[in-house]
Structures are given as C-alpha cells and as structure tokens.
Amino acid sequence: MAEKKDSENKKYELIKQAIENLAFGELHITIHNGKIVQINRIEKQRFSV
C-alpha cells in the first residue's frame, strides 16, 4: 500500500512542477476510474511585436 501511495504522490509532484514551470500554456490531466493516467503539457512561447 505504501508503494501505491508513493506512486500517487509522485504524480501530484509532477503536476505541481508542470504548473510552476509554465508561464503560458495548458496542462491536461487525464483520469480513468479515479486514477491519474496521463499528464499533457502544452507550452506556448510569447513574443512582443
């Protein structure tokens, strides 16, 4: 059971890091049967004109 909890904590940590390091973009979290199964991060680069 501790191994399962560690796995979930790692997923939450990855989500936290993805949010902290994202200036512009999107973070998609896919959940299946109440479990996080995929994290997609789309980063956008903004340039002043």
Side-chain angles (χ1 to χ4, degrees):
M1 177 137 175
E3 183 179 313
K4 198 174 203 182
K5 187 126 177 127
D6 288 342
S7 175
E8 288 298 311
N9 286 339
K10 183 175 181 178
K11 291 174 187 176
Y12 296 138
E13 184 62 32
L14 288 171
I15 292 169
K16 181 182 169 198
Q17 289 174 4
I19 292 169
E20 288 175 348
N21 296 326
L22 188 64
F24 297 99
E26 303 173 20
L27 187 66
H28 295 248
I29 302 166
T30 305
I31 300 171
H32 182 71
N33 289 335
K35 306 265 187 227
I36 299 169
V37 295
Q38 185 171 330
I39 302 168
N40 292 330
R41 182 176 159 206
I42 300 170
E43 186 171 357
K44 298 180 181 187
Q45 299 293 321
R46 303 273 175 144
F47 303 101
S48 54
V49 194

